[in-house]
Amino acid sequence: MLFEVWAPHARDRVTLELNGSGHPLERDAERDGWWTGVVPAEDGDRYGFALDGGPVLPDPRSPRLPDGPDGLGAVVDHSAYVWRNESPKLRLRGAVLYELHVGTFTPAGTLDAAAAHLGELAGLGVTHVELMPLCPFPGVRGWGYDGVAPWAVHEPYGGPAALKRFVDAAHGLGMGVVLDVVHNHLGPSGNHLPLFGPYFTETHHTPWGAAVNLDAPGSDEVRAYFRGSALAWLRDYRIDGLRLDAVHALADTRALTFLEELSAAVDELAKEQGRPHFLVAESDLADPRTTAPRALGGLGVHAQWNDDFHHSLHCALTGESQGYYADFARAPMAALAKTLTHVFFHDGTYSAFRGRRHGRPVDRERTPAHRFLGYAQTHDQIGNRALGDRLSSSLSPGLLACAATLVLTGPSVPMLFMGEEWGATTPWQYFTDHTDPELAEAVRRGRRREFAAHGWAEDEVPDPQDPATRDRSVLDRAERERDPHKRLLAWYRQLIALRRTLPDLTDPDLAGVKVAFDEEARWLVFRRGVLRVAVNLGKEPAVIPLGSNGRDQVLAAWEPVATPAADGALRLPGESAVLLTDG
C-alpha cells in the first residue's frame, strides 16, 4: 500500500509507524515537501507519521481516527463496502432539504440510529438529508464545527462504515445526502496540521485566529488538501452534495479563488461519475456572484443559503428586532415581500447593523430560483440563541403553519430543521465536550458573558459542557402523535406533496413571482403561475383583495376558507394560510 504525506516542515526524515513498526519514507523527487513509501497494510491497521524523531501524529488525510484526533489513524479500504443502492440522481430544482444533527436526532446519537428513521423523512417528502459536520473532534458531544480531521468521520457517530450505511439507506429510499463541511477553520484542540506544513497563515486573521492558508506560500497544497477532502466525500461515500460553511470567512486573494477551483472539480467529478453533485454555500455577503456560473464571472457554487429571507420571516412572525434583525424589523412584511421576489433584502441598501451599504442585486431574469435556499429555522438561528428555543416555544400552531407555507411554496429551495415539521418543543442548544479543561472553562465563560451583555442572568444560560444540555436537545418523537404537533405534521406533508405535484411551485422564474401585502394588517399574498398563496399573520381575520376571476379553488388551507367572493376578496382567518389556484 502506498503511504504518502505532505510534510514540508520535516527537516531530515519522516517515519511511518504502522502496527508498532517503523518504516522510513523517502522524499518525493517530483513533489516538493512530499514523503512516500510502499508498505503492506490492510483495512483497520493503525498508523501515523513521526517527523524528525518526534511524536507519532495522525495522518492529515486519515480516513478514520478510532481513538479521536490525538490517536493513530486507521487504514480504510473503501472498495470493501458493497453498495446496495444507486444514487437517485436528484437535482436542486424540486428539492426539499432536511437539516439533521446526528448526535441529537436520536437518543443514541449515531448514524445507524438516524438511518432507522429515514423512512419517516421519505414519507414526509424530503428529497435530501443535510447532515451537519461529521469530522472528528475531541470528546463525544458537539455541533461538529470544531472538527479537526477533514477526511474522517467522527467515531462516536459510527465512523466511515456507518456513514456509508446511512447514505446507502437514504439512496434506497430515493433520497440524496448533503454533508456540511468546514473549510474556513479547524477546531481549537486536536489540530496537528501546523506541525506538518503551512496549513495556516498569519497573513489573514479570522474569528478563529490565523486563517486557513488559501493564498500565502504553500497554499497550492493546502487548497489541494481541502479540495481532495471534498471530492472524497462525493466519491468514496457517494454523498450527493456539500454545504460549505461560512464561505465569507475564506480569506483568499488569489485571482483564481478556492471556491472556483472547488466548483470546477466537483462539476468534473459529476461528469465523470454520471450523477449530479452540487455545492451549497453559506454566505453573509449577499453577493449573487457566489452562485453565478464560472463562465459568467461567478464562483460557480450551485446554490446558497439565504439568511435575508429567514430574517425577514422571523421578524414578521415574532416581532423581534435585536441585533441583525433590526434592519428587517422596521417593516417586516415589506422585507418578506422583497426577499420573495428579489432574494436579497440587502442588495446595495444601507444596513444599520453593519453601518454601511451591503449586498448586490440578483438578476431575476437570468438567475433561477433554485440557486437559493429558504428556511424558517436552522441550527444557527436556533442554537445561537441563549436558550436554543425554537419558533414553537413562542408561536401559535397557526403561525407555525404560516411559516411552513411561505417556505414550502415560495420560490427558493425549501429547507427544514429537524423536528420543525411537527413543531418540536425540545430546544436545540449549544453544547460541547471539550477534553481540555481550560478550553472547556473558557467556552463556558464566553457563552455566559455573551448573553449577559444582552440581559440574561448567567445561571439562565445553559452550560455547554454539561451533558444535560445535549440531552435536552434530543428530539422527542412521541410529540408527533398528539395535537397540535400531529396536525402541523399533516400540514407539512400536504404542502410538500403539493410542491411535488404542482409545476408552478418549482418554477425557477424569479421574475414571475408577484407579491402584495399589508404591513399594518399583517397579510401577504404572492402568485406563482396559476397559484396564489396567502398568509395572515395577524390575530384578526383579514380581507385580502385578490382581484380573482371567480374560478379560484382552494387546494389547501390551515383553517376552513371559502373561495373568494364575487368581488375577488379572500376572507382569511387570523394566523392562517391558504393555497389557491385559478387554473
Side-chain angles (χ1 to χ4, degrees), residues 84-103:
R84 297 177 292 114
N85 302 294
E86 295 293 326
S87 165
K89 298 183 179 180
L90 302 170
R91 300 184 183 275
L92 274 171
R93 181 177 175 179
V96 176
L97 277 67
Y98 188 96
E99 190 184 22
L100 182 159
H101 178 262
V102 170

Side-chain angles (χ1 to χ4, degrees), residues 58-145:
D59 179 3
R61 287 173 168 77
S62 178
R64 186 181 173 205
L65 294 169
D67 301 314
D70 293 319
L72 292 177
V75 172
V76 172
D77 179 5
H78 286 295
S79 67
Y81 184 84
V82 179
W83 292 90
R84 297 177 292 114
N85 302 294
E86 295 293 326
S87 165
K89 298 183 179 180
L90 302 170
R91 300 184 183 275
L92 274 171
R93 181 177 175 179
V96 176
L97 277 67
Y98 188 96
E99 190 184 22
L100 182 159
H101 178 262
V102 170
T104 50
F105 189 61
T106 66
T110 66
L111 283 157
D112 285 332
H117 293 278
L118 285 174
E120 300 164 8
L121 302 185
L124 178 63
V126 168
T127 65
H128 294 79
V129 179
E130 181 175 309
L131 298 173
M132 288 176 61
L134 299 179
C135 293
F137 52 87
V140 175
R141 306 175 306 277
W143 281 19
Y145 294 95

Side-chain angles (χ1 to χ4, degrees), residues 319-368:
E320 291 184 11
S321 59
Q322 74 277 14
Y324 49 67
Y325 289 136
D327 289 332
F328 304 86
R330 292 183 178 88
M333 302 304 288
L336 186 54
K338 183 175 181 180
T339 58
L340 282 167
T341 53
H342 290 75
V343 183
F344 296 141
F345 176 75
H346 288 302
D347 53 5
T349 57
Y350 182 79
S351 166
F353 174 70
R354 295 175 176 84
R356 59 170 174 78
R357 292 185 176 275
H358 184 66
R360 185 185 183 102
V362 170
D363 184 344
R364 298 193 302 149
E365 301 292 337
R366 301 173 66 185
T367 307

